[in-house]
Amino acid sequence: MKFKLTSIATAIMLSPAVFAADMEDIERLTVEGKYLSVNQSNSIKSPTPILDVPQSLSIITAEEITARGITSIGQIIDYAPGVNTSQGEGHRDAVVFRGVRSTADFYLDGNRDDVQYYRALYNVEQVEILRGPNALLFGRGGTGGILNRVSKKAKTGEKFVNYNVSANTFGAYNLQLDTNVDTGDKSALRINAMYESLDNHRDFYDGDRYGFNPTARFEVSDDTIVDVSYEYIDHERFIDRGVPTANGEPVEAFEEIVFGDPENNYQTLGADVFRANVEHTFSDSLKGNFNAFYGDYDKVYSNFYAAAYDADAEVVTLDGYVDTTQRENLILSSNLVGEFATGSIEHTVIFGGEVINTKSNQDRYNPVFDSTDGDREAFNVTRPLSFRGLTGTNSVGETVTATFSDVNDDTHVDLDVYSFYVQDEIALSENFDLVLGARFDSFDIEVFNVVAAETRSRKDEEVSPRAGLVYKPQENISIYASYSESFLPRSGEQYANINGDADALDPDTFTNQEIGIKWDFSESMSFTAAIFENEQTSLDNDPNDAESFIEVDSDVSGFELQLQGYITDKWYVTANYSNLDGENASGVELRELPENTMSVWTTYEVNEVFGFGIGATYQDESKVSTSATSPVLPSYTRVDASAYYTLSDKTRLQLNVENLTDTLYFPNAHSTHQVTVGAPINARLSLIGSF
C-alpha cells in the first residue's frame, strides 16, 4: 500500500451545501486536495485510503456537523450504521458498538478520553467511528468499536473568523467562534470557543457548557510541524434518568414526569486538557508522529431515579447517590510509518508505542432516608413528585428527609500501561494487500479501597493480533476479510475496583471476524457492505464449585450497508442499514440490541442560495436488560428536516427540525425503570457566517 489518493466518493461523504474552511464562499464540498482529511482516517494511524482499510468505519466532517445542526455525539450515532445510543444515566456519552455498551471507548486525536461526560463538538474537524475490536491501535477496550474526535488545528498562511449562533424552540441557545490568525511565515494561532445554554422538553432541565480551545502551530522546518493545544472545559446540567416501565414497556402516561429531585439531580465537570504533537518527516519513506496528552478532570454526579414502580398503587420507589471522580491522565505515544520494498513486494510498516499513567479517585455516597434508615423511599406518582431538596412527603403521607451520608465506596486508583505495536501493510501485488499486526499491552493496576482499608493489585499482559486481506479487482473496488482481537481487564472501563474475585480473573476477550466490500461505483457515489461476528469470552464463578471458574460467552453477528454520494450535482443522499443478532451463553437476547436499524438523509440544492434536506432514522424494538423478562423499548421512526438560505457570500441562515412528525419514542434506557423519553418536535435556527 502506497501513500496515495483514492476513493473520491468517500471524500465527499456526508456533505451537502456547506462552508469551505475559510468561509469565503458558500459551496458544496468538492473533491480537492484541501479535503484530504475526509479521504483518510486519523484513527488508523497510517496514510491508507479508506477504500483499502479492511474494516468498517464511518466519518462525519465538521461541515456536515454544522449543516445538520448536530450538537451531540448521540445525534451522530442516530445516522450511523452498526451503532446505537445508550442512556449513560443522563450524564455521559454512551454508545452501543455492535452490541457492546461502552462509556470509555472515546478518543481525542487518538488519545484515550475515558472520563464520563457529554463531549462538545465545537472544536472538531471530523468524527470517526471504527467498528469491531481495535486493540492493535488503541489498546484495551474498543471491543465493539471506538469513536475518535479529530480536533481543529491552527493553519499557517490563513486568516479567518467564523461564527455560529443558534437557538432552538426549547429555549436553548449556542454560540461558537472559530478564529485563525497568521503569526508569522511559519506559525499560526487558532482559537475555538463556545457557550451553550441547555434546555429541553423535560421539567427542571437546564444547564450550560463552556469550552475554550486555543491551538498553535509551528512549522519548525520543511520536515517538522509542532501543534500545541489547551482546552478548558466547564459543564453543568440537570440529570434526567427517564421514566419507569410497566407491562413490559415504558409508561407513556409518564412522559412529562421527572422521577428525581430537582435540586439534587445534577452533573458538574471541570477539566484542563493539554496536547502537544510533533510530526517529522525523516525521509520520503519514513515519517514520525510524537504525542503528549495530559488531562485533569474533576466531576460530580448527583441523582435520584426510579428504582421500582408499583403500577397498581401508582407508587414509585426512588433510589440515588452522589458520585465524584478526580482523574489525571498522562499519555505519551509515538509511531513511525515507513515504506520499503522486499523485491517486488511493497511494505507500509507502522511501529508505535504508548505509555499511560492514570490516577483516579472515585467515591460514592448513598442517601439515607430518616423514615426507612435506608437508601430507598416510596412516593406517589405526581407531577412534580413530592420530593425536592432532599425533603418530601412519602406515599403514606409522612414527611421524609434524606442525607447523602452512607459511604458506598471510596477507591484510589493508580494505573500504569505500557504498550507497543507493529503492523505491516503488504502490497503482495497490484490486486492483493495483506495486513498483519500485533500489539502488546502491560496493564498494571493498584487500587486502595478506603472503606475496606485494603490495597489490591493486578497485572495483565496481553497480545492482541490483527490480520486482514484486501483484494482489489479494480482500482475503485476492494473486497476484504479481517480478524482481530481485543481485551478488557476485569477492573472494567472505569477501573474503579477489583473487589471480590475480580483480581483473580483474566480479562474479558473479544474476537471479530469480518468480510466486506467497498465500491466507489462512480466519481460521486460509494457503497460499502460488511458481514461480521463478534464473540466475547469471560470468566465467572462456577455456581457448582466456589473455587472454580467457568467461561461465559456472548455472540453478536450481523451485517451493515452504507450508500452515500451525489445522485446529481445538486442531489445528495446517504443511507445506512444494520441487522444485528446477539445473545449470551444462555440464549438470552442482549440488551439494547435492535435487530434492524436504518437511516436515510438526503439534501437538494434548489439554486445557488436555497436548499433543503429531509431524513429519517428507524430503530427496531430492543430489550432494556439482558434477561428473559426484560421490558422492551418499542420500535420507532423519527423524521428530521433542514433548510438553508444564503444571505450573502459570507452569511447563511439555517433551519434544522428534529422529530418533524412529533412522534413519542423511547430511544434508550439504563435499566428497567430508567427509560429515556425522546424529544418532541423542535427546531433550531442558526446564523452561520464569517468576518
Side-chain angles (χ1 to χ4, degrees):
M1 295 185 181
K2 302 179 179 179
F3 292 91
K4 54 189 177 180
L5 290 174
T6 110
S7 189
I8 293 178
T10 306
I12 62 169
M13 68 191 305
L14 298 176
S15 208
V18 295
F19 280 117
D22 58 8
M23 302 292 287
E24 291 181 355
D25 298 294
I26 299 172
E27 58 178 329
R28 177 167 58 82
L29 182 64
T30 54
V31 185
E32 298 175 350
K34 62 181 176 180
Y35 296 112
L36 173 62
S37 62
V38 293
N39 190 35
Q40 296 178 348
S41 167
N42 178 277
S43 304
I44 61 176
K45 301 185 181 180
S46 77
T48 307
I50 292 173
L51 189 70
D52 299 341
V53 176
Q55 185 173 8
S56 179
L57 69 157
S58 301
I59 293 177
I60 182 168
T61 66
E63 289 84 4
E64 174 67 2
I65 289 171
T66 299
R68 296 274 296 277
I70 291 172
T71 61
S72 69
I73 295 294
Q75 290 173 304
I76 294 175
I77 296 300
D78 285 342
Y79 281 86
V83 291
N84 52 285
T85 60
S86 187
Q87 185 189 90
E89 297 178 279
H91 69 102
R92 64 195 179 205
D93 290 318
V95 179
V96 185
F97 296 97
R98 288 182 171 176
V100 180
R101 301 171 74 245
S102 177
T103 64
D105 291 319
F106 297 92
Y107 293 81
L108 177 60
D109 293 332
N111 295 294
R112 185 174 294 272
D113 181 29
D114 56 13
V115 176
Q116 298 176 335
Y117 68 108
Y118 285 111
R119 292 153 181 85
L121 302 173
Y122 72 103
N123 58 347
V124 164
E125 196 69 49
Q126 64 187 42
V127 175
E128 306 168 343
I129 303 171
L130 278 68
R131 292 177 284 275
N134 287 276
L136 186 138
L137 297 178
F138 295 97
R140 68 189 188 278
T143 51
I146 68 100
L147 187 147
N148 181 53
R149 291 173 295 144
V150 181
S151 66
K152 294 178 179 178
K153 309 295 193 302
K155 298 182 177 182
T156 57
E158 296 188 31
K159 181 180 180 180
F160 56 79
V161 179
N162 302 332
Y163 64 87
N164 186 330
V165 180
S166 66
N168 70 16
T169 48
F170 294 132
Y173 59 91
N174 184 294
L175 311 172
Q176 295 183 22
L177 181 69
D178 179 5
T179 180
N180 190 92
V181 294
D182 207 359
T183 56
D185 293 339
K186 300 289 186 178
S187 63
L189 173 68
R190 186 172 186 174
I191 297 176
N192 277 272
M194 63 88 72
Y195 171 74
E196 184 176 11
S197 175
L198 303 174
D199 205 348
N200 71 7
H201 58 297
R202 302 281 284 162
D203 287 347
F204 315 119
Y205 187 88
D206 64 1
D208 51 39
R209 301 199 291 183
Y210 302 85
F212 177 66
N213 183 199
T215 67
R217 167 162 288 189
F218 305 94
E219 296 180 356
V220 180
S221 68
D222 291 340
D223 298 323
T224 305
I225 297 175
V226 178
D227 289 296
V228 293
S229 169
Y230 164 71
E231 183 177 12
Y232 171 72
I233 301 170
D234 188 329
H235 293 182
E236 182 175 354
R237 69 173 62 221
F238 180 79
I239 300 303
D240 176 19
R241 292 179 62 166
V243 300
T245 64
N247 302 315
E249 60 184 21
V251 182
E252 293 187 3
F254 295 163
E255 63 170 299
E256 295 183 335
I257 300 177
V258 172
F259 292 85
D261 179 354
E263 297 179 12
N264 287 282
N265 276 46
Y266 64 87
Q267 178 239 322
T268 63
L269 171 74
D272 298 282
V273 179
F274 300 86
R275 303 190 301 276
N277 185 78
V278 179
E279 296 181 10
H280 182 72
T281 300
F282 295 96
S283 67
D284 290 342
S285 59
L286 181 63
K287 299 182 180 181
N289 188 294
F290 310 92
N291 189 275
F293 177 99
Y294 174 78
D296 185 0
Y297 307 86
D298 188 354
K299 178 184 173 183
V300 178
Y301 170 45
S302 176
N303 71 127
F304 284 89
Y305 56 89
Y309 172 60
D310 183 342
D312 293 330
E314 287 206 352
V315 169
V316 65
T317 299
L318 295 188
D319 197 352
Y321 55 84
V322 58
D323 186 294
T324 73
T325 299
Q326 299 85 40
R327 182 171 301 170
E328 294 181 60
N329 282 340
L330 175 64
I331 304 173
L332 304 176
S333 62
S334 64
N335 65 74
L336 296 173
V337 180
E339 291 183 295
F340 64 92
T342 54
S344 62
I345 299 177
E346 299 178 348
H347 301 261
T348 300
V349 176
I350 312 171
F351 178 79
E354 187 174 55
V355 177
I356 301 176
N357 175 255
T358 295
K359 298 185 185 301
S360 188
N361 297 338
Q362 296 103 185
D363 60 58
R364 176 170 294 186
Y365 285 79
N366 294 331
V368 177
F369 286 92
D370 58 4
S371 53
T372 64
D373 202 29
D375 61 357
R376 295 189 175 194
E377 181 57 276
F379 298 88
N380 294 320
V381 177
T382 57
R383 182 188 180 197
L385 296 182
S386 179
F387 184 62
R388 183 164 191 158
L390 298 176
T391 301
T393 303
N394 66 13
S395 59
V396 295
E398 299 172 336
T399 299
V400 299
T401 300
T403 57
F404 287 113
S405 56
D406 178 29
V407 180
N408 185 78
D409 60 65
D410 186 353
T411 56
H412 299 176
V413 175
D414 196 343
L415 172 67
D416 289 298
V417 180
Y418 301 93
S419 312
F420 65 85
Y421 60 89
V422 61
Q423 177 179 278
D424 190 2
E425 302 172 4
I426 308 168
L428 300 173
S429 68
E430 291 185 359
N431 303 106
F432 282 98
D433 293 330
L434 178 65
V435 179
L436 296 174
R439 180 186 182 110
F440 170 80
D441 282 283
S442 172
F443 182 92
D444 191 353
I445 186 172
E446 180 179 277
V447 181
F448 173 55
N449 187 327
V450 176
V451 177
E454 71 168 351
T455 299
R456 291 189 173 202
S457 63
R458 177 176 173 87
K459 186 174 183 178
D460 292 302
E461 297 183 338
E462 297 289 330
V463 175
S464 304
R466 179 190 186 190
L469 181 65
V470 179
Y471 170 61
K472 299 190 70 174
Q474 56 192 53
E475 184 63 22
N476 64 327
I477 298 176
S478 67
I479 302 170
Y480 69 88
S482 68
Y483 173 85
S484 56
E485 294 183 3
S486 187
F487 74 98
L488 183 65
R490 297 310 289 261
S491 52
E493 294 178 342
Q494 298 298 323
Y495 31 84
N497 65 66
I498 43 176
N499 295 337
D501 293 312
D503 64 343
L505 299 176
D506 290 337
D508 294 349
T509 58
F510 299 78
T511 62
N512 177 70
Q513 302 167 74
E514 183 174 328
I515 59 174
I517 182 172
K518 301 179 182 182
W519 180 19
D520 293 351
F521 58 86
S522 75
E523 292 186 351
S524 58
M525 184 70 72
S526 67
F527 170 76
T528 64
I531 303 173
F532 64 89
E533 181 177 30
N534 290 346
E535 296 178 339
Q536 175 184 355
T537 300
S538 304
L539 289 178
D540 204 350
N541 295 101
D542 187 338
N544 301 314
D545 184 355
E547 297 183 357
S548 300
F549 302 99
I550 58 174
E551 286 191 357
V552 179
D553 300 332
S554 62
D555 180 274
V556 178
S557 59
F559 64 91
E560 302 162 355
L561 307 174
Q562 299 183 76
L563 175 71
Q564 49 203 334
Y566 281 91
I567 298 175
T568 70
D569 289 344
K570 298 179 180 295
W571 185 11
Y572 171 84
V573 65
T574 175
N576 305 298
Y577 172 75
S578 301
N579 181 279
L580 299 172
D581 180 31
E583 59 184 33
N584 63 13
S586 301
V588 177
E589 180 183 342
L590 299 180
R591 64 183 298 185
E592 292 189 303
L593 187 67
E595 180 178 358
N596 300 287
T597 59
M598 64 185 73
S599 65
V600 61
W601 180 262
T602 184
T603 60
Y604 187 75
E605 184 181 331
V606 177
N607 53 43
E608 293 183 355
V609 298
F610 176 71
F612 65 90
I614 190 165
T617 178
Y618 168 81
Q619 181 171 293
D620 212 345
E621 67 176 29
S622 61
K623 300 180 72 172
V624 172
S625 64
T626 303
S627 68
T629 58
S630 168
V632 171
L633 297 175
S635 63
Y636 70 88
T637 300
R638 194 189 75 213
V639 178
D640 304 322
S642 70
Y644 72 89
Y645 184 80
T646 303
L647 300 175
S648 70
D649 288 345
K650 294 187 176 183
T651 311
R652 180 176 82 223
L653 191 64
Q654 179 177 298
L655 179 68
N656 297 91
V657 181
E658 184 181 82
N659 197 1
L660 191 64
T661 57
D662 202 22
T663 299
L664 175 61
Y665 69 103
F666 303 92
N668 49 46
H670 180 70
S671 64
T672 298
H673 298 298
Q674 296 144 53
V675 178
T676 302
V677 181
I681 182 172
N682 64 95
R684 176 178 294 273
L685 185 65
S686 304
L687 182 66
I688 305 166
S690 66
F691 298 110

